[in-house]
Amino acid sequence: MAGKRKVANLLGLAVLSYLSQQPMHPYALARVLREHGDDRSIKFSHGSLYMVVGQLVRAGFVAGQETGRAGQRPEHTVYALTPAGRAELGDWLRELVEEPRHEYPAFVSALSLITALPPAEAVELLRARLRLLAGARADVAAIIEDSRAREVPGLFLIEEEYRLDQLDTEIAFVERLISRISDPAPEWAGGWAEYHESRQN
Amino acid sequence: MAGKRKVANLLGLAVLSYLSQQPMHPYALARVLREHGDDRSIKFSHGSLYMVVGQLVRAGFVAGQETGRAGQRPEHTVYALTPAGRAELGDWLRELVEEPRHEYPAFVSALSLITALPPAEAVELLRARLRLLAGARADVAAIIEDSRAREVPGLFLIEEEYRLDQLDTEIAFVERLISRISDPAPEWAGGWAEYHESRQN
DNA sequence: TCTATCATGTAACCAGTTACATGATTTT
DNA sequence: AAAATCATGTAACTGGTTACATGATAGA
């Protein structure tokens, strides 16, 4: 739909979304992003936030309004969404919800190169991964339970539920992979073990 | 384990891996990466390949050997793995296989902000996504079947099988999400529809 | 003869990360 | 009195993308 966004960083989308609720200064944006746990879904740091706000201003999606001051604290610019910014927010979100993107998770890269490791070692590492995955799963489950206990509507937990589903799928995949490597059909493994035996690393 | 890699781009890992088989010049690397379908697992372009080879040289992981010349074609430098490069390859791969990383897929960001869209529109977009996901799934399945027909060992298809599993999980998740939005429990939706009705966008 | 593929690189630009730098206010 | 948090930003560096620039060889 849109060829290329003037601002590509997804942090910019989050900023547009929060500014559509009410004008804010950057520090307040950082605070609400963290409070809502959006830092788990969208990567950001102090530096990247100021950078992306600058990009949004240059693109005409947000504009600095008043320059506030509370007590002797430093001056701060409050930013508000422009009409173009509101349009961009809608268009961008629609694109992300509708169109799956080809992505490059690190584990996919690792899988595509795993034959560079001897199979016995791969199995050991995959078992270790399984333990770490269990930990990650427990963390996500705890976040969900905690929110439910605080009566947060389920709607605001869908991204964590999505993660949970993907984690469960990965766990099942890794378990199956371990058993396929441990007890390999010859036409499946294609000489993996033999290759590493002949040049003992 | 490793604090921070001198070369962080995963394309660098793929380069180390192929150079561990035999020395090659950059163009040959690009060719084998594409032939093996690694461009589906690791993002790269002509430019980033030359860049990453430069980084690997500076880091001491690969070194230019001979400067070959075939016929009147331009000179080309053949790169080979150094001992440090072989160590880095092993260490890096082990880390990637063992340690899950927190990642930021675009759809997770979209889910965390989806309430900025009216629910009826969200459902429409998710239905469209479902059709596109079916297409993506068919593509992956075709790649797997095609490789099997050519008797490629299953081991070399694990990254595509992983993708297939994740796609199936996403499809099931989106189907369930559509039905939850379409027929919402009030404590789940938390006034989503009402919010958008009161300010008809 | 022209197009695709083989083959090499550089330069300019933009984005993102990290560290630097400052100072007020609130809480312990 | 000290530490944490509120609040702002800039500067330097590094990495990645895109476009520019060149030319040989092989096949249609």
Side-chain angles (χ1 to χ4, degrees):
Chain A
M1 223 132 254
K4 196 179 306 174
R5 308 254 161 220
K6 290 192 198 165
V7 178
N9 190 333
L10 287 179
L11 177 57
L13 181 66
V15 169
L16 292 177
S17 165
Y18 281 101
L19 292 185
S20 80
Q21 311 278 315
Q22 51 171 308
M24 263 183 269
H25 52 99
Y27 192 90
L29 278 166
R31 200 197 314 121
V32 295
L33 283 165
R34 259 181 270 268
E35 270 168 16
H36 289 209
D38 291 320
D39 51 346
R40 285 181 50 82
S41 316
I42 293 164
K43 195 167 52 159
F44 85 99
S45 66
H46 170 72
S48 57
L49 181 61
Y50 276 90
M51 183 197 47
V52 101
V53 168
Q55 287 169 208
L56 291 170
V57 170
R58 264 177 280 131
F61 296 146
V62 310
Q65 302 188 303
E66 8 146 9
T67 293
R69 178 189 279 269
Q72 276 314 97
R73 296 215 195 90
E75 289 194 358
H76 53 265
T77 309
V78 175
Y79 293 93
L81 209 60
T82 63
R86 181 166 298 274
E88 179 71 2
L89 166 60
D91 191 61
W92 196 355
L93 238 190
R94 275 179 220 113
E95 182 198 320
L96 285 178
V97 173
E98 179 171 354
E99 295 170 26
R101 281 215 224 170
H102 190 83
E103 303 199 59
Y104 301 86
F107 189 48
V108 169
S109 309
L111 287 175
S112 77
L113 300 173
I114 201 172
T115 51
L117 254 25
E121 202 184 346
V123 166
E124 257 181 70
L125 294 165
L126 288 168
R127 278 200 234 277
R129 184 182 191 87
L130 231 31
R131 289 189 288 274
L132 294 169
L133 285 170
R137 192 198 189 280
D139 290 346
V140 177
I143 286 167
I144 293 176
E145 272 171 54
D146 180 66
S147 298
R148 278 210 217 297
R150 297 200 331 276
E151 285 176 37
V152 174
L155 175 60
F156 299 110
L157 298 169
I158 51 177
E159 70 280 15
E160 298 296 346
E161 287 180 2
Y162 178 81
R163 267 188 213 288
L164 202 63
D165 283 5
Q166 298 285 59
L167 275 171
D168 285 337
T169 300
E170 182 171 323
I171 289 169
F173 177 87
V174 172
E175 281 170 350
R176 179 154 177 257
L177 181 56
I178 288 172
S179 69
R180 284 192 289 178
I181 300 173
S182 305
D183 183 15
E187 76 280 6
W188 184 81
W192 186 12
E194 293 72 18
Y195 173 78
H196 284 275
E197 273 154 28
S198 69
R199 31 143 54 218
Q200 64 276 25
N201 294 334
Chain B
M1 223 127 252
K4 196 180 303 174
R5 307 254 161 222
K6 291 192 198 165
V7 178
N9 191 332
L10 287 179
L11 177 56
L13 181 66
V15 168
L16 292 177
S17 165
Y18 281 102
L19 292 186
S20 80
Q21 310 279 316
Q22 52 172 308
M24 262 182 268
H25 52 99
Y27 193 91
L29 277 166
R31 199 198 314 121
V32 294
L33 283 165
R34 259 181 271 268
E35 269 168 16
H36 288 208
D38 291 320
D39 52 346
R40 285 182 50 82
S41 315
I42 292 165
K43 195 167 50 160
F44 86 98
S45 65
H46 170 72
S48 57
L49 181 61
Y50 276 90
M51 184 196 46
V52 102
V53 169
Q55 287 168 208
L56 291 170
V57 170
R58 263 177 279 134
F61 297 145
V62 310
Q65 301 188 301
E66 8 146 9
T67 291
R69 181 188 277 270
Q72 275 315 95
R73 296 217 195 89
E75 289 194 358
H76 53 267
T77 310
V78 175
Y79 294 93
L81 209 59
T82 64
R86 181 166 299 273
E88 178 71 3
L89 167 60
D91 190 62
W92 196 356
L93 237 190
R94 275 179 219 112
E95 182 198 320
L96 284 177
V97 172
E98 179 170 356
E99 295 169 25
R101 281 217 223 168
H102 189 83
E103 302 201 58
Y104 300 86
F107 190 47
V108 169
S109 309
L111 287 174
S112 77
L113 300 172
I114 201 172
T115 52
L117 254 24
E121 202 183 347
V123 166
E124 257 180 70
L125 293 165
L126 289 169
R127 278 201 234 277
R129 185 183 191 87
L130 232 32
R131 287 189 289 273
L132 294 169
L133 285 171
R137 192 197 190 282
D139 290 347
V140 177
I143 286 166
I144 293 176
E145 272 170 56
D146 179 66
S147 297
R148 278 209 217 297
R150 297 200 329 276
E151 284 176 39
V152 174
L155 175 60
F156 299 110
L157 297 169
I158 51 177
E159 70 280 15
E160 298 296 346
E161 287 180 2
Y162 178 82
R163 267 188 212 287
L164 203 63
D165 283 6
Q166 299 284 62
L167 275 170
D168 284 338
T169 300
E170 181 171 324
I171 289 169
F173 177 88
V174 171
E175 281 169 350
R176 177 152 177 259
L177 181 57
I178 289 172
S179 69
R180 285 192 289 178
I181 300 173
S182 305
D183 183 14
E187 75 280 7
W188 185 81
W192 185 13
E194 294 72 16
Y195 173 79
H196 283 277
E197 274 155 26
S198 69
R199 31 149 48 222
Q200 63 276 31
N201 295 334

